[in-house]
Amino acid sequence: MLQTSEKIWMDGKFVAWADAQVHVLTHSLHYGLAAFEGIRCYKGKSGSAIFRLPEHVDRLFESAHIGLIEMPFDRKQISEAIVETVRVNRLEACYIRPLVYIGYGAMGLYPAENPIKVSIAAWKWGTYLGDEALSKGIRARVSSFTRHHVNVSMTRGKISGYYVNSILAKREVKADGYDEAIMLDPEGYVAEGTGENVFIVRRGVLKTTPLTSILEGITRNSIIQLAKERNIPVVEERFTRDEMYVAEEVFVTGTAAELTPVTEIDQRRIGSGKPGPITQTLQKAFFDVVGGTDSAHRQWLTSV
């Protein structure tokens, strides 16, 4: 159950959590054209800080642009509103959800002059894939649902309606007792999870899907940088599901998932069946950054 906070920012002002409502004929509710972000704020040794806020705000604006949604606020206003939302709710660590959506007005597929609305909510949220996911890993299954094709859905946009595909895949694998789904692209190569990017370690090389049919993950980008700094070879290339099966290590990354090991896929144990050494090294490096103990990446943190 979602743990409520006190206030939500809506179109430039704060309203009580319970009063943050929209009309049932809100256009985006019916047709799914909205842009959103997932951002985390961490409690570190120097206080609370939001992880890679400028990059998340840039991606929000890029998603809106891809969807032909004209933002009614600029980047500076949205960035300040995100920080203030965390402050107003007195949250030391939290998940932040900005949403840009098409409001009430005309119905039908063409939204005409419907107003563009923006909301920002923040709440306490722990480990996304389970209490022991970060330490022990998760079980995943390759979904029967195919991930988006670049000419069906523009995959660089974090668009609300695209996630129906993820919901179907997630419900499918959860019903079969797995923690997460891994989705293939239309040509049968590994794309991403329902809300995460996928990495494998094969013969000491860290591989991840190139930015062809997947969302440009900000945590993904961070892990690639951290790996290179530790002299871990990194390549961005396509790989198949059976290459995952024989990999020494597999993990997924994302704002919600952070860096979560995958220890079983399709009833096949991955490596030793436990989080591997490269996974553990990068997981520690990531949490050192977000916890403020890695001064080399202080620019990734925005103080609250």
Side-chain angles (χ1 to χ4, degrees):
M1 184 69 178
L2 188 66
Q3 186 170 347
T4 64
S5 300
E6 293 181 23
K7 302 284 186 180
I8 292 178
W9 188 93
M10 295 190 75
D11 300 313
K13 64 180 181 180
F14 285 101
V15 301
W17 180 284
D19 295 331
Q21 300 180 19
V22 298
H23 196 280
V24 71
L25 294 182
T26 293
H27 195 275
S28 292
L29 177 63
H30 290 256
Y31 301 110
L33 181 55
F36 74 98
E37 270 301 316
I39 312 171
R40 275 197 189 261
C41 176
Y42 290 90
K43 182 182 179 182
K45 69 173 188 175
S46 301
S48 297
I50 299 171
F51 182 61
R52 300 196 72 169
L53 176 61
E55 290 86 350
H56 281 286
V57 171
D58 282 344
R59 191 171 66 179
L60 178 67
F61 275 74
E62 289 170 359
S63 297
H65 180 68
I66 287 169
L68 290 173
I69 300 172
E70 190 71 31
M71 288 288 291
F73 300 92
D74 62 29
R75 283 171 168 79
K76 184 173 184 291
Q77 289 172 312
I78 294 297
S79 298
E80 291 174 350
I82 289 170
V83 173
E84 192 59 25
T85 300
V86 177
R87 288 177 181 159
V88 163
N89 287 293
R90 301 187 298 277
L91 294 166
E92 293 182 318
C94 62
Y95 181 86
I96 308 161
R97 170 56 56 87
L99 174 69
V100 184
Y101 60 97
I102 303 172
Y104 170 81
M107 288 297 282
L109 293 177
Y110 181 61
E113 302 301 321
N114 290 28
I116 305 302
K117 301 287 191 175
V118 184
S119 65
I120 303 168
W123 63 90
K124 292 181 181 179
W125 199 11
T127 306
Y128 174 58
L129 292 170
D131 292 339
E132 296 184 331
L134 293 175
S135 60
K136 294 186 177 180
I138 61 170
R139 299 173 65 243
R141 192 189 117 182
V142 174
S143 176
S144 69
F145 291 95
T146 300
R147 203 50 163 163
H148 304 292
H149 184 278
V150 293
N151 285 327
V152 173
S153 300
M154 290 172 282
T155 55
R156 291 298 179 93
K158 197 170 176 67
I159 304 294
S160 297
Y162 294 177
Y163 283 79
V164 172
N165 182 242
S166 293
I167 293 167
L168 293 172
K170 184 85 167 185
R171 295 182 75 163
E172 174 188 50
V173 302
K174 291 288 281 185
D176 287 340
Y178 291 88
D179 302 302
E180 186 55 290
I182 293 175
M183 306 179 75
L184 307 181
D185 70 20
E187 295 180 69
Y189 293 90
V190 174
E192 55 192 345
T194 61
E196 310 90 11
N197 295 120
V198 180
F199 287 80
I200 67 171
V201 178
R202 182 95 195 279
R203 296 173 181 156
V205 176
L206 185 64
K207 292 185 179 182
T208 191
T209 305
L211 296 174
T212 50
S213 61
I214 63 172
L215 186 70
E216 190 171 7
I218 293 167
T219 307
R220 172 189 181 277
N221 173 269
S222 305
I223 294 303
I224 290 172
Q225 289 190 53
L226 293 172
K228 289 178 178 178
E229 290 165 6
R230 285 153 182 79
N231 297 314
I232 298 169
V234 182
V235 295
E236 297 179 59
E237 67 177 29
R238 300 166 105 188
F239 52 90
T240 58
R241 72 166 81 183
D242 51 359
E243 188 168 4
M244 284 195 303
Y245 297 158
V246 297
E248 294 92 62
E249 304 176 42
V250 178
F251 62 84
V252 295
T253 64
T255 295
E258 298 164 302
L259 192 158
T260 299
V262 180
T263 54
E264 181 185 320
I265 302 173
D266 293 347
Q267 301 184 44
R268 294 163 174 86
R269 185 185 68 192
I270 303 301
S272 67
K274 298 179 180 179
I278 290 178
T279 299
Q280 292 177 321
T281 294
L282 293 174
Q283 190 183 68
K284 181 181 184 302
F286 175 77
F287 283 110
D288 283 347
V289 168
V290 299
T293 60
D294 179 359
S295 59
H297 291 287
R298 195 158 290 164
Q299 77 278 8
W300 285 355
L301 303 176
T302 299
S303 296
V304 175

